[in-house]
Amino acid sequence: MKTQKSKSISLDRIDLQLLDLLQTDAAQSQQSLAQQVHVSPPTCLRRVQRLQAAGLIERQVAILEPERLAAIQGHGLACIVEVSLERQGAESLDAFEARAVADAAVQQCWRVSPGPDFVLVLHVRDMPGYLSLAQRLFTGDANVRNVRAFFATRRAKFSTRVPLLHA
């Protein structure tokens, strides 16, 4: 559920430190956070709630380790896909984007420029899983002009962290 976003919020050094700490580990206790930014736990809780209400904290999630999960569930296949559409009108872009973000295998969907219209980050179980997704999203859409898929052989870095100034 999205929270009501305030029109404007000012951030001080403590707010930025809290945001930075939460990006590293959102599961840590208010007590731990408060100690690290040198405020009381109730003050820390109020600040975090204010940051959430302002929409600066979109959500808190667990980030899974795909290689360890693959060892348990079977192999996974990560790929980055460039998609170019035949027609780039707002309605066509919106329609493709809506279908892409609705598919569970699409981890990220970016509209980009220049070059392709979209870059997708996908995670599927295996190559048959990719082929099924390609049929759903690309082959079955008459407006998809070109698709270039890049299959990951190794992940050297992955981060969800947004760099913050003065944290």
Side-chain angles (χ1 to χ4, degrees):
M1 179 170 96
K2 291 271 183 181
T3 57
Q4 182 71 19
K5 300 203 186 336
S6 54
K7 291 182 182 173
S8 139
I9 183 173
S10 63
L11 301 176
D12 63 14
R13 181 183 52 79
I14 293 172
D15 292 327
L16 292 171
Q17 287 176 325
L18 285 169
L19 288 170
D20 198 49
L21 289 166
L22 289 168
Q23 286 188 96
T24 304
D25 181 6
Q28 58 189 308
S29 70
Q30 290 297 323
Q31 179 73 33
S32 174
L33 284 170
Q35 287 175 345
Q36 292 175 73
V37 299
H38 309 291
V39 298
S40 70
T43 297
C44 182
L45 178 60
R46 280 192 303 274
R47 282 179 174 260
V48 170
Q49 289 172 335
R50 181 176 143 262
L51 296 168
Q52 288 171 328
L56 293 171
I57 299 171
E58 184 176 329
R59 62 190 160 171
Q60 296 178 354
V61 299
I63 298 174
L64 306 181
E65 203 331 304
E67 288 181 17
R68 289 186 182 181
L69 194 57
I72 297 166
Q73 284 198 309
H75 293 286
L77 182 62
C79 48
I80 298 162
V81 179
E82 297 177 352
V83 180
S84 298
L85 302 181
E86 191 67 42
R87 296 174 305 285
Q88 286 91 16
E91 195 173 293
S92 297
L93 292 167
D94 290 346
F96 179 82
E97 181 178 291
R99 283 188 318 103
V101 300
D103 196 298
V106 178
Q107 291 184 318
Q108 297 178 42
C109 175
W110 297 84
R111 280 194 199 185
V112 296
S113 179
D117 297 306
F118 291 92
V119 173
L120 307 177
V121 177
L122 311 174
H123 195 89
V124 293
R125 184 175 178 87
D126 49 23
M127 187 54 76
Y130 173 78
L131 293 173
S132 175
L133 178 134
Q135 180 64 37
R136 286 191 311 273
L137 290 183
F138 314 137
T139 309
D141 185 341
N143 194 34
V144 173
R145 181 182 68 219
N146 189 40
V147 175
R148 283 183 27 161
F150 304 89
F151 298 96
T153 58
R154 180 172 171 249
R155 181 176 83 176
K157 180 179 180 180
F158 171 81
S159 177
T160 60
R161 191 177 201 150
V162 175
L164 298 171
L165 301 175
H166 305 69

